[in-house]
Amino acid sequence: MNNSWLKNALPHVVAILVFLIVSALFCKPVMDGKTLDQHDTGVIGWRGSAQNAYEVKEKTGKLPLWNTNVFSGMPNYQIAMEGRSAIPVDLNKVIGLWLPKPMNFFFIACVCFYILCVILRFNPMVGIFGALAFAYSTYNPLIVSAGHETKMMAIAYMPLLLGGLLLIFNKRYWIGLALATLGAVFELMANHPQIAYYFFLIAGAVTIGYIIIWIKNKDFKHFAISVALSAVAALVALGCYSLAYLTTTEYARYTMRGGKSVEIQGNEVKATSTQGLDTDYAMQYSMSKVEPIIMLMPKAVGGSSGTPLKEDSKVVEKLVETGVPEMQAAQFASQLPAYWGGMVPPDYSGGPAYIGAIIFILAIIGFVVVRGPVKWTILAVTILSVLMSWGKYFLGFNQFLLDHLPLYNKFRAPSMALVICQLTLPLMAVLAVHTLFFAKDARQQLTLQFKNILYTLGGITAVLLLLYIGQSYGSGFDQQIMQMQLDPNGGDRLNRAIVAGLKADRQSMFGGQVLRSVVFMAIVLGVIFACMKNWLRPVVGVALLAVVTLLDLWVIDKQYFSDDHYVYKDDVQVQVTPTAIDQEILKDKDPHYRVYDVAGMNSNRVSYFHRSALGYHPAKLRLYQDVIERYFSGTPNEQLLNALDVRYIISRDQQGQEVLIPNSNAYGAAWFVKAIKTVSDDVEELQAIGITNLKDTAVVQQKNIPAGLQISADSTATVKLVKYTNDEIEYEAESATGGLIVLSEVYYPAGWNAYINGKPADIIRTNYVLRGLVVPQGKHQIKLVFEPTSFKKGDNISYLSSWLLIIIVLGGCFLQWKTDKKHPKADVTIGE
């Protein structure tokens, strides 16, 4: 009996078992019945915004398209969406072996990177090493802990898609097409466009490297086939993603990411015209010039913004020297952050994007010892990611990218660009290990390259020493310290003492991290030297590096992803138990009213139970954001609250306890106005709604008023809400003269249609952010329906594309099997 297949499969089975065991140990509280308490989304985050939609689905069998519980209304398909698919199972669950969250995230990341290594014909131990390093890079636990699950899934699938492209580029066309298509679908369907964008920069760099080879070898036929198959994979993946893509692209035009027409500074409003995010907003969460070194040295700039100074801080010593009592000095110092990178308040660093010292060191060695032009394009995109991460600290360059790089102005948080390094550096690290230990000429390469390795490690050490010596150790936070009034006698003596102590702490911290890096360089060099001298077998050496790397990452990860981040499921339910105030509001069974929580910005707790006028979503409607900035940033404007039908206000007393304030002046779901105030543009309209009695007068731009419209006051006119659901609203209106009805619903032109007695009618943007409707005299039935064509079109395309995906994956695997039976398998390389 031939057991060769079992022998070949055994290392991969071992790898899967390793990934399972590590993920289970890393997420052990899940095995004890606990769940993550994810502070950014979690139950009262994303779930709060989606709760109403799921309640509707429970009653009707499908998710609604409009969400009534966040920001007075927005498309629900930006929060929770479902469409048709020919694929009968959730492929994410299949590849994650139905593991519970968050175990599945780390397991999937390991599997995808391991598949990439298998495609490259690496030794299984190299694949295990690289997979563990990639999956447990510290940024991953950070974002999982925060609840950014789509981001984690998009990161996890990057190696799978890259592997499919490499198969195509190395003439394994059929299996490459199947895997590239599947990987692209996974990547896009993770639905985190910014991570996908970074991956496509990596893919572009790798492709350029191969194009150089193809042109050099005059292999134009292969060039054409590779481009064509890659395009097919991309198109089918886009087809599968079209439901999310079409709706999101349509929605983005009306959000903060689509630009703005007004500039708001306090009470002043000016006209402007921008595309994409504002530069200041896009450049939030920028890294200082030295900060990307955290990929090698996790505590180089102090860790996270929430990490306090140590008890032996030099700040205490400096303050004591000025005469401050030691206890008072220690108490003050304990409130200062150890973090001194570029993300100063109100920006916040959740922790370092640490990829592992050994991985970083091996990657730099890889750029020296790995052959072929592709390594240079990978190096180029790696450097690009560092420059992008600097954001506002390298504004000239990054402003150029915002203005000229397609779609880049839709994203913020430049620090996220280091996700590129999170794939490129582990990839170069395993390429270095393969080249030195397992390639056909590995023994020769190891001997020839050893001197270059020494020079490389020496160069890294020299750079770190120069950074240690040459820095000022200043931070933007120091300016905030200097502006504090600390000395009751005036002057800045205490301020300067604090800053001097902080700089001394930072230098000491950075120096300790340099020494730490030197230790890891010694470990890498020791393993390489031992393997060169045959004191260690290469497999043992790589296993040793893998263990040390995993332990290193584990220690750092657990500082930001400890067992304390888990809670029992019963405790989670406590978070969504209605308070006494919630219960009081819920006694009101009227289908239409809203709740305004003065502390509700960036929180969806109220949205879990009520139709909230505030909430959290990363892409708010631009019109609504303008109203928030102009009228809700301080004491909310009473007219706007009434127009939004805010019947209940949740405030806080002097003790911080919630207080319910009923608002009997709310205008209700709809009302006839007695007059129209015409304005010329967005600036005038936004300013006018704050000083106009919106119950009697509607503010409308001249260009939006139907020709010949005359409004006369009709004291007998009535409008009554008959039906109110997420996607359909019905009214009965009666007026002797006809007139303009203002609807207390957010204006959104892409999908909401109005019908009067069954005939289409135009919805007019009214009061800057609301809907208006001209109604003729008499009694009429009015119906508003949310029926976006983007959803219907996207759903149809996605469904058809899911069939194409099945055909390509199954057909590609079958055709590759037939091809491999006739011809030997071609080696897959990174462009050597």
Side-chain angles (χ1 to χ4, degrees):
M1 183 177 178
N2 186 0
N3 291 323
S4 60
W5 66 271
L6 181 61
K7 182 179 179 181
N8 292 332
L10 185 59
H12 307 316
V13 173
V14 170
I16 296 299
L17 289 175
V18 169
F19 302 151
L20 277 171
I21 292 170
V22 173
S23 65
L25 292 175
F26 192 74
C27 306
K28 186 177 180 298
V30 173
M31 312 302 289
D32 299 327
K34 293 186 176 182
T35 186
L36 270 179
D37 183 15
Q38 297 168 313
H39 56 80
D40 267 15
T41 55
V43 173
I44 59 174
W46 169 80
R47 185 69 195 195
S49 64
Q51 179 63 20
N52 168 255
Y54 282 103
E55 290 174 356
V56 171
K57 181 180 179 179
E58 187 174 345
K59 295 176 182 177
T60 66
K62 65 178 183 177
L63 287 172
L65 299 181
W66 188 259
N67 188 303
T68 62
N69 281 37
V70 181
F71 294 117
S72 299
M74 63 175 288
N76 189 62
Y77 44 66
Q78 294 300 309
I79 296 171
M81 178 174 61
E82 59 186 4
R84 294 177 298 159
S85 175
I87 302 172
V89 294
D90 186 340
L91 294 179
N92 288 291
K93 291 183 178 180
V94 173
I95 196 171
L97 298 184
W98 289 272
L99 293 171
K101 294 190 298 186
M103 284 176 57
N104 62 327
F105 300 134
F106 301 104
F107 178 78
I108 290 173
C110 282
V111 169
C112 289
F113 196 92
Y114 184 79
I115 290 173
L116 173 61
C117 292
V118 171
I119 289 170
L120 290 169
R121 304 290 180 85
F122 289 168
N123 182 282
M125 183 54 69
V126 176
I128 293 173
F129 171 37
L132 292 173
F134 172 76
Y136 294 93
S137 178
T138 302
Y139 187 67
N140 292 341
L142 281 172
I143 59 177
V144 170
S145 176
H148 299 170
E149 296 179 358
T150 60
K151 185 188 297 185
M152 177 66 207
M153 293 304 292
I155 291 172
Y157 285 123
M158 290 194 297
L160 185 68
L161 176 50
L162 180 59
L165 293 175
L166 291 177
L167 285 167
I168 292 174
F169 294 167
N170 285 271
K171 299 185 178 181
R172 299 201 68 203
Y173 297 127
W174 294 119
I175 188 65
L177 175 61
L179 192 61
T181 305
L182 186 63
V185 169
F186 278 133
E187 184 64 37
L188 293 178
M189 294 299 287
N191 205 23
H192 199 289
Q194 189 166 357
I195 298 299
Y197 190 89
Y198 291 140
F199 171 79
F200 292 129
L201 291 179
I202 299 171
V206 172
T207 302
I208 290 171
Y210 273 95
I211 289 174
I212 293 171
I213 297 171
W214 296 332
I215 293 175
K216 181 180 178 181
N217 296 336
K218 298 182 179 180
D219 197 354
F220 299 113
K221 179 181 177 181
H222 175 51
F223 183 0
I225 294 173
S226 297
V227 171
L229 291 179
S230 299
V232 169
L235 289 173
V236 173
L238 280 172
C240 292
Y241 183 60
S242 60
L243 175 57
Y245 175 76
L246 292 178
T247 53
T248 299
T249 301
E250 178 182 72
Y251 176 69
R253 295 200 301 268
Y254 304 101
T255 70
M256 299 163 58
R257 298 169 191 262
K260 63 182 182 180
S261 61
V262 298
E263 181 71 40
I264 302 170
Q265 296 178 347
N267 293 330
E268 186 177 0
V269 181
K270 296 180 180 179
T272 188
S273 180
T274 66
Q275 298 295 320
L277 293 172
D278 298 340
T279 297
D280 289 343
Y281 187 74
M283 292 292 109
Q284 281 188 305
Y285 303 97
S286 297
M287 286 186 161
S288 64
K289 293 287 183 64
V290 73
E291 196 164 356
I293 202 66
I294 59 177
M295 292 186 291
L296 169 65
M297 306 189 310
K299 294 298 182 68
V301 294
S304 74
S305 299
T307 303
L309 292 175
K310 293 183 178 180
E311 294 180 357
D312 60 349
S313 167
K314 294 292 183 181
V315 172
V316 177
E317 179 182 323
K318 296 292 184 181
L319 285 175
V320 169
E321 290 176 359
T322 65
V324 176
E326 184 174 354
M327 184 174 295
Q328 184 178 345
Q331 183 178 5
F332 181 84
S334 66
Q335 300 173 4
L336 297 176
Y339 175 79
W340 56 281
M343 287 171 266
V344 296
D347 295 353
Y348 179 88
S349 171
Y354 180 55
I355 67 170
I358 287 177
I359 289 292
F360 186 94
I361 294 162
L362 285 172
I364 302 303
I365 292 173
F367 286 121
V368 174
V369 304
V370 173
R371 293 164 292 184
V374 175
K375 78 169 181 181
W376 298 116
T377 55
I378 293 176
L379 177 61
V381 76
T382 301
I383 294 173
L384 174 64
S385 73
V386 173
L387 301 181
M388 292 167 72
S389 74
W390 288 344
K392 63 185 176 184
Y393 299 106
F394 196 42
L395 187 57
F397 175 80
N398 284 297
Q399 185 67 59
F400 177 84
L401 294 184
L402 283 175
D403 294 339
H404 297 93
L405 193 61
L407 301 178
Y408 189 59
N409 61 7
K410 307 298 182 185
F411 308 125
R412 69 166 184 157
S415 60
M416 202 188 301
L418 288 190
V419 164
I420 292 173
C421 298
Q422 193 173 328
L423 177 58
T424 59
L425 294 184
L427 176 59
M428 288 308 302
V430 293
L431 281 168
V433 171
H434 172 75
T435 300
L436 295 174
F437 294 159
F438 299 103
K440 294 178 181 178
D441 58 349
R443 179 66 57 187
Q444 179 183 1
Q445 284 296 317
L446 189 56
T447 303
L448 291 175
Q449 297 285 357
F450 189 74
K451 187 177 291 186
N452 290 333
I453 293 171
L454 288 176
Y455 291 153
T456 302
L457 297 179
I460 296 173
T461 304
V463 170
L464 294 180
L465 290 176
L466 288 173
L467 289 174
Y468 175 74
I469 296 169
Q471 287 188 84
S472 68
Y473 294 98
S475 169
F477 183 71
D478 299 346
Q479 299 174 9
Q480 299 181 22
I481 293 291
M482 293 302 297
Q483 293 171 0
M484 293 181 179
Q485 297 295 324
L486 298 175
D487 193 334
N489 300 319
D492 61 359
R493 189 168 58 99
L494 294 178
N495 308 68
R496 287 186 283 108
I498 293 169
V499 171
L502 286 171
K503 289 184 176 181
D505 284 338
R506 294 163 185 167
Q507 185 173 25
S508 175
M509 187 187 311
F510 196 91
Q513 291 291 293
V514 171
L515 291 176
R516 180 182 187 275
S517 300
V518 171
V519 170
F520 279 108
M521 281 188 274
I523 292 173
V524 171
L525 183 62
V527 170
I528 291 174
F529 184 77
C531 290
M532 186 178 70
K533 293 295 185 180
N534 288 325
W535 299 343
L536 283 179
R537 293 176 57 194
V539 171
V540 176
V542 175
L544 181 61
L545 292 175
V547 170
V548 174
T549 296
L550 181 60
L551 291 176
D552 173 35
L553 287 170
W554 194 293
V555 170
I556 302 300
D557 291 354
K558 284 300 180 179
Q559 296 176 26
Y560 308 97
F561 190 79
S562 68
D563 291 356
D564 295 336
H565 287 81
Y566 294 84
V567 294
Y568 286 104
K569 294 179 181 179
D570 291 343
D571 295 335
V572 173
Q573 293 303 316
V574 171
Q575 299 179 46
V576 294
T577 301
T579 65
I581 285 180
D582 292 323
Q583 292 173 344
E584 182 65 26
I585 295 173
L586 290 171
K587 291 178 181 178
D588 190 335
K589 301 304 180 182
D590 191 308
H592 191 287
Y593 62 84
R594 296 192 177 95
V595 178
Y596 185 95
D597 183 355
V598 296
M601 185 60 69
N602 297 324
S603 171
N604 284 326
R605 200 207 71 80
V606 169
S607 301
Y608 194 95
F609 303 103
H610 316 289
R611 288 172 288 280
S612 175
L614 296 177
Y616 171 76
H617 191 272
K620 296 189 283 290
L621 285 169
R622 179 75 258 176
L623 295 178
Y624 208 85
Q625 176 65 20
D626 293 341
V627 169
I628 288 173
E629 291 180 16
R630 178 64 183 85
Y631 294 109
F632 293 162
S633 58
T635 301
N637 180 280
E638 183 178 350
Q639 289 290 326
L640 267 298
L641 292 181
N642 293 338
L644 288 170
D645 197 21
V646 173
R647 194 177 298 177
Y648 300 97
I649 300 171
I650 301 176
S651 186
R652 305 293 186 279
D653 59 21
Q654 294 182 347
Q655 288 72 41
Q657 299 297 313
E658 287 188 349
V659 177
L660 180 63
I661 304 174
N663 177 28
S664 59
N665 297 319
Y667 298 160
W671 62 95
F672 274 98
V673 294
K674 301 175 182 178
I676 295 178
K677 178 186 289 187
T678 59
V679 293
S680 59
D681 56 23
D682 287 351
V683 172
E684 193 175 346
E685 185 177 8
L686 184 59
Q687 290 289 60
I689 62 175
I691 55 174
T692 302
N693 180 357
L694 300 179
K695 179 66 172 177
D696 294 331
T697 304
V699 181
V700 185
Q701 289 188 36
Q702 182 65 51
K703 65 181 180 182
N704 295 330
I705 298 178
L709 177 65
Q710 297 292 328
I711 296 294
S712 58
D714 179 5
S715 60
T716 65
T718 60
V719 57
K720 177 184 177 182
L721 180 67
V722 176
K723 176 184 176 182
Y724 189 78
T725 63
N726 295 63
D727 297 339
E728 292 187 7
I729 313 172
E730 296 181 9
Y731 309 87
E732 286 182 355
E734 185 173 4
S735 171
T737 62
L740 178 69
I741 294 176
V742 178
L743 309 176
S744 184
E745 302 296 332
V746 172
Y747 178 78
Y748 183 67
W752 275 106
N753 296 318
Y755 303 90
I756 299 178
N757 299 328
K759 297 181 179 180
D762 293 331
I763 298 175
I764 301 170
R765 190 179 120 190
T766 307
N767 296 341
Y768 197 80
V769 74
L770 298 181
R771 306 174 203 168
L773 204 62
V774 176
V775 180
Q777 67 181 44
K779 187 174 183 179
H780 304 283
Q781 302 295 320
I782 300 172
K783 185 174 184 178
L784 272 74
V785 184
F786 189 51
E787 42 192 3
T789 56
S790 60
F791 183 88
K792 184 180 296 185
K793 182 178 179 181
D795 188 40
N796 289 335
I797 296 174
S798 295
Y799 181 67
L800 291 174
S801 297
S802 66
W803 281 107
L804 287 176
L805 174 63
I806 294 173
I807 293 170
I808 287 176
V809 171
L810 296 181
C813 292
F814 175 74
L815 291 173
Q816 191 65 59
W817 173 73
K818 287 192 67 176
T819 302
D820 289 343
K821 285 183 69 176
K822 296 179 180 179
H823 306 286
K825 296 180 181 180
D827 287 335
V828 179
T829 63
I830 293 284
E832 292 183 6

